[in-house]
Structures are given as C-alpha cells and as structure tokens.
Amino acid sequence: GDAATIALDKLKTDSHTYAGLPWFFQEWSRDELVSCVALPTAVRKKIIIKHLDKILDDGRVPTLLSGDYQGHPTGSADSVGWLFRRISDLLEENKLAAAEMKKVKAALKKSIDGLLKHHSRNGFITNEKNETWMDTDFGDYGRRGACIEIQSMQLNMYHLMYLLTEEKTYLLLENSLRQNVRKFFWNVSMLADRLNDYTVRPNIFLAAYAYPQLLTKKEWEVCIQNAINRLWLDWGGLATIEKNNSNFRSEYTGETNESYHRGDSWFWINNIAAIVMA
C-alpha cells in the first residue's frame, strides 16, 4: 500500500496524473481516472471535475488530455465510463456540492446524448478496434463491437442520471439495456466478452465493478468462478485471455506487444478483480 501510494504520488502534479514515467509522459484520461481513486479526496475530486469540461460532441472524453503519442487510438471507448464511475463514487460519499451536481448533470446529459447518437448500434454502445483498454490486435478484431465493460459503464451512467434527475427516461434506458445485455451476453454460466464472442477475458470484473446490478450475487459467483478456472495463472494472477485460446502467449513478448492482451497479467485488473470478489 505504501509503495503504491509513493509510486502514484511521483506521477502526479497538482491536477494531472501521468500514465508512466519515463515512457508515457502524457496525460491519458483512462489511466488518470482509473487510478485517481487512490488519491486524497480533494485532489481526486479536482481531477474528476476537470474532466467534465473535456466531453466531446460524440459523448466521449479525449484519449489524451495533454502531450502527444504517435499511433495512439483515435478514441477511448471507456474513459468517459470511468469518469462517471468516479462521479458515482463522489455522489455515494456525499462529496458533490450543489453547483458541482448541476455541472455533472449537464455533462452527463451531453455524454449520454452523444454516445447514443454516435456510438450506438442495435441497442448497444459500440467501439472500433483498439479503443478499449485492450488497445492492441494480433490475429483478432481488436475488440471491435459491443464490449461487456462498455455496456456496464453505460448502465452506470443511466443509473447515475436517474439518481440525479429522477427523469424516467433514464430509468427506462437503464432497464432496457440491462435486459438486452442479460439476454445477449449472459448464457447462465458466462458473460460474453463482446456481443457473440464468449472468449473468456477478465473484462467481466470491470463490468462487475462498473455496474454490479447487472447480475445477481449468485450469478456473479458462477460467472467469476467459471472465468477464474480459465484465466488463473499458477503464480497467482489473471491472464488477459483464457489459457486454452490459440492467441494465448505464455511468456511476455517485451517491446513487441503481442502478449499484452493475450496472456500478460495486469496488476490493475487483478486488483479490481480482488475488489469485486471481496
């Protein structure tokens, strides 16, 4: 815990958190919003509120808020979901003032409207390849389509908007999407990683973290146990793809990023999985 706090502190300035020094000296919205939960409340809140002004017309926030990175994906499918997941944290902690609540509602409405207009297909929120945190592709589709954690993040956004406004439109949107995800992603034993793709990946833990109401506790237990059976590595972490998949790489491939999302075990996913299971 102390080591993690020190490491995070060394990546942080007053209201910016850099992804990783010296290689990733840019401000990546996803990295900042995932990790800011560990910062003191005042600093965390300042970072989160800052992102509300960054929402684009398509409902997302930029992949990079500062700096440049050649070849980065044109969009981040999940950064905006992380933003409003962190807003949900602040709301639960009663840390939002009235003026901030007004700002949140306006930003959330803009985001929902933009996502439904620009990134919705057949009732789901979709993304292009390499726009989720699994932003590499080797012999697959780079997770193009409707991804499970993106649906959960959208569900959390609808849920948050209904809590803030009590407008039934958002309750109906939440109920409709939840029913569709359960119908088309949940097969009573596993959640699909993407629509029509039951490849086992640890993204189900992100889905559970963003919107635990998707499944019942018993259903989550079944889903998680079945996933662990396929993802668990003997040293004590989760692989990024099931071990019997032809794309699985049993060894780290270094600067060639083939193994990054085809076997490598990421600490932040392991930690979120532990939080979900706890």
Side-chain angles (χ1 to χ4, degrees):
D2 290 343
T5 301
I6 291 169
L8 187 56
D9 187 63
K10 290 183 180 297
L11 293 171
K12 178 180 62 64
T13 62
D14 183 41
S15 61
H16 303 279
T17 308
Y18 299 103
L21 301 174
W23 300 280
F24 293 101
F25 50 86
Q26 308 85 3
E27 187 181 4
W28 296 73
S29 55
R30 178 190 299 121
D31 300 61
E32 186 169 59
L33 290 163
V34 168
S35 59
C36 72
V37 69
L39 296 171
T41 300
V43 178
R44 170 172 51 115
K45 184 177 175 181
K46 187 174 183 179
I47 288 172
I48 293 167
I49 296 297
K50 170 193 68 178
H51 283 75
L52 296 175
D53 293 324
K54 306 293 185 181
I55 293 175
L56 305 171
D57 289 341
D58 72 345
R60 293 177 170 179
V61 293
T63 306
L64 288 169
L65 296 186
S66 68
D68 185 33
Y69 186 74
Q70 187 176 3
H72 74 77
T74 55
S76 172
D78 48 4
S79 291
V80 72
W82 281 108
L83 169 58
F84 288 108
R85 177 61 176 80
R86 295 295 172 237
I87 291 287
S88 294
D89 294 339
L90 292 176
L91 187 66
E92 289 173 10
E93 298 165 18
N94 199 28
K95 299 295 185 182
L96 290 172
E100 292 166 338
M101 295 270 273
K102 184 177 180 180
K103 186 181 182 77
V104 166
K105 283 189 277 191
L108 182 50
K109 184 181 188 308
K110 179 180 179 180
S111 184
I112 290 173
D113 290 348
L115 290 168
L116 288 175
K117 181 178 180 180
H118 296 280
H119 298 287
S120 178
R121 190 181 310 130
N122 298 325
F124 298 107
I125 302 299
T126 62
N127 55 268
E128 295 303 316
K129 73 173 187 176
N130 301 342
E131 289 187 339
T132 71
W133 80 273
M134 289 187 163
D135 55 358
T136 60
D137 59 292
F138 277 88
D140 59 22
Y141 296 100
R143 297 190 80 225
R144 176 189 283 116
C147 297
I148 184 59
E149 78 278 15
I150 304 301
Q151 312 317 308
S152 278
M153 289 175 172
Q154 188 77 6
L155 282 163
N156 177 65
M157 289 167 64
Y158 292 150
H159 184 71
L160 175 62
M161 191 63 171
Y162 179 64
L163 289 177
L164 293 172
T165 67
E166 296 186 351
E167 293 182 22
K168 288 189 176 180
T169 298
Y170 299 103
L171 181 61
L172 293 172
L173 284 168
E174 179 186 356
N175 289 339
S176 176
L177 181 55
R178 183 174 62 240
Q179 289 169 10
N180 281 338
V181 173
R182 288 184 58 88
K183 180 178 179 180
F184 292 102
F185 281 72
W186 174 238
N187 68 1
V188 190
S189 62
M190 288 297 306
L191 274 171
D193 182 63
R194 297 180 304 142
L195 186 63
N196 302 319
D197 177 8
Y198 277 89
T199 303
V200 180
R201 292 183 180 273
N203 297 303
I204 62 161
F205 294 101
L206 299 180
Y209 183 81
Y211 187 77
Q213 306 96 306
L214 179 61
L215 301 181
T216 67
K217 183 178 179 181
K218 183 61 179 176
E219 288 170 336
W220 277 122
E221 288 174 355
V222 171
C223 177
I224 288 170
Q225 186 60 61
N226 287 331
I228 287 175
N229 291 341
R230 293 163 174 81
L231 297 172
W232 190 252
L233 301 168
D234 57 12
W235 58 267
L238 298 169
T240 32
I241 196 169
E242 57 188 308
K243 294 176 288 184
N244 64 358
N245 189 283
S246 61
N247 282 328
F248 176 75
R249 298 293 176 264
S250 60
E251 294 185 0
Y252 174 57
T253 56
E255 291 186 13
T256 302
N257 58 12
E258 184 174 353
S259 69
Y260 287 12
H261 305 121
R262 278 152 234 19
D264 289 355
S265 187
W266 293 65
F267 283 115
W268 76 282
I269 292 291
N270 290 334
N271 292 340
I272 287 178
I275 291 169
V276 165
M277 289 187 283

